[in-house]
Amino acid sequence: MGLFLNVPYAEKDEAKALGAKWNPKVKKWYADVPRTDYVKFAKWILRDTDDAVIAMDYIFIVEGQRPCWKCGKSTRVVGLGVGEHVHIFDVGDGPQYEIVEDDADEELHLAWTDCEEDIPPKVRRYLKEQYSVKAGYSKTINRTCFANHCDCCGALQGNYFIFDEVDSPLTLMVEGDELVEQAGKLNVLTIPIEDDLQLDWEVGFGSNDYAYFAYGQCKELVLSSDPKNDSISYEELYGQ
């Protein structure tokens, strides 16, 4: 277990002095330290952001169904998910961290990204092979984004409508019996990961995040090609 970092060559000695190690197969430096010490490497974790989520142990795919806005037929839509994680952030007082673990009910936090390069290649290939997800031009936001498309007519299903709308099947912004019914229609694929992963995804947090596991149909998805391994390494996720 460890956290791989994007360390420029000119900064390698600085990272090494903090305890980073070099992986010759992946050709990257990684932090082989307790998760409480990841914050020491915030220079490379927060290089392009002031807020980072590092997934621990698992990442997820969430599958639901909704009517296509164009043809009206039912189509599958999928999102990504993060469970327990390390949160590294800087609000102006220097880098800080929190480790978000589930004390009682396990939670899944729905996520997505408009940029397919932000999804580990092996996960991205699985999504493209199993679902109608691909890059497409959205007239709503006037740019190309990675998005769900209709299984039947191929129409792009806008990311806002999938991940932010109250009536989306994936967001679980309902209560009571309606929450149980809606979450019960979801398939939650659990992907065990060997190494912690910094994910440049848009992650949402809601009061009903427990319902994905409590009522959804959960199944483990082993992406490793090695039959002896249940979890998949960083090296294999990124096709090294």
Side-chain angles (χ1 to χ4, degrees), residues 69 91-92 100 102 121 123 127 129 171 193 218-220 223 239:
W69 64 269
V91 292
V100 182
D102 300 321
V123 177
L127 289 171
E129 290 169 359
T171 56
I193 54 174
C218 300
K219 179 181 179 182
E220 187 170 271
L223 289 182

Side-chain angles (χ1 to χ4, degrees), residues 93-107:
D93 298 326
Q96 301 178 52
Y97 79 93
E98 61 177 338
I99 297 180
V100 182
E101 296 180 291
D102 300 321
D103 294 327
D105 295 327
E106 291 184 82
E107 293 190 349

Side-chain angles (χ1 to χ4, degrees), residues 76-91:
R76 297 171 304 164
V77 289
V78 293
L80 299 166
V82 177
E84 296 184 330
H85 60 279
V86 182
H87 181 206
I88 307 288
F89 57 96
D90 189 343
V91 292

Side-chain angles (χ1 to χ4, degrees), residues 13-32:
D13 290 337
E14 183 180 356
K16 184 177 180 180
L18 291 172
K21 298 179 180 179
W22 176 252
N23 184 307
K25 290 184 178 180
V26 178
K27 294 183 171 58
K28 276 196 169 193
W29 291 90
Y30 68 101
D32 184 18

Side-chain angles (χ1 to χ4, degrees), residues 210-226:
Y210 72 93
Y212 293 99
F213 293 130
Y215 309 119
Q217 309 303 309
C218 300
K219 179 181 179 182
E220 187 170 271
L221 173 62
V222 178
L223 289 182
S224 176
S225 58
D226 187 342

Side-chain angles (χ1 to χ4, degrees), residues 36-240:
T36 53
D37 289 341
Y38 284 171
V39 69
K40 295 180 180 179
F41 301 89
K43 175 176 181 177
W44 300 285
I45 295 170
L46 298 177
R47 183 172 294 277
D48 298 317
T49 182
D50 58 5
D51 191 271
V53 169
I54 299 167
M56 309 186 315
D57 303 324
Y58 302 96
I59 55 177
F60 305 91
I61 296 172
V62 184
E63 175 194 330
Q65 300 233 0
R66 75 188 296 264
C68 171
W69 64 269
K70 187 173 184 179
C71 71
K73 296 180 180 179
S74 180
T75 183
R76 297 171 304 164
V77 289
V78 293
L80 299 166
V82 177
E84 296 184 330
H85 60 279
V86 182
H87 181 206
I88 307 288
F89 57 96
D90 189 343
V91 292
D93 298 326
Q96 301 178 52
Y97 79 93
E98 61 177 338
I99 297 180
V100 182
E101 296 180 291
D102 300 321
D103 294 327
D105 295 327
E106 291 184 82
E107 293 190 349
L108 183 153
H109 312 293
L110 187 66
W112 194 248
T113 173
D114 284 352
C115 180
E116 63 178 297
E117 285 75 20
D118 289 336
I119 302 173
K122 193 143 191 178
V123 177
R124 187 169 70 235
R125 286 195 294 270
Y126 180 86
L127 289 171
K128 287 184 171 183
E129 290 169 359
Q130 301 297 324
Y131 303 100
S132 299
V133 291
K134 59 184 178 181
Y137 185 80
S138 169
K139 294 180 180 178
T140 303
I141 59 176
N142 294 317
R143 60 178 172 83
T144 298
C145 61
F146 192 61
N148 286 271
H149 288 67
C150 178
D151 286 328
C152 303
C153 72
L156 185 146
Q157 310 294 299
N159 286 339
Y160 176 83
F161 302 102
I162 300 299
F163 301 104
D164 293 287
E165 283 283 9
V166 174
D167 62 353
S168 165
L170 301 185
T171 56
L172 301 186
M173 296 184 190
V174 291
E175 299 296 338
D177 292 342
E178 192 175 354
L179 173 63
V180 176
E181 181 181 0
Q182 185 173 323
K185 296 178 181 177
L186 299 177
N187 292 318
V188 179
L189 303 181
T190 300
I191 304 171
I193 54 174
E194 184 176 314
D195 305 289
D196 290 352
L197 291 176
Q198 180 175 349
L199 300 169
D200 295 325
W201 300 349
E202 294 181 28
V203 182
F205 297 88
S207 59
N208 291 334
D209 286 352
Y210 72 93
Y212 293 99
F213 293 130
Y215 309 119
Q217 309 303 309
C218 300
K219 179 181 179 182
E220 187 170 271
L221 173 62
V222 178
L223 289 182
S224 176
S225 58
D226 187 342
K228 298 180 181 179
N229 292 339
D230 291 333
S231 59
I232 187 167
S233 67
Y234 182 97
E235 180 182 356
E236 192 172 359
L237 267 177
Y238 284 86
Q240 302 290 339

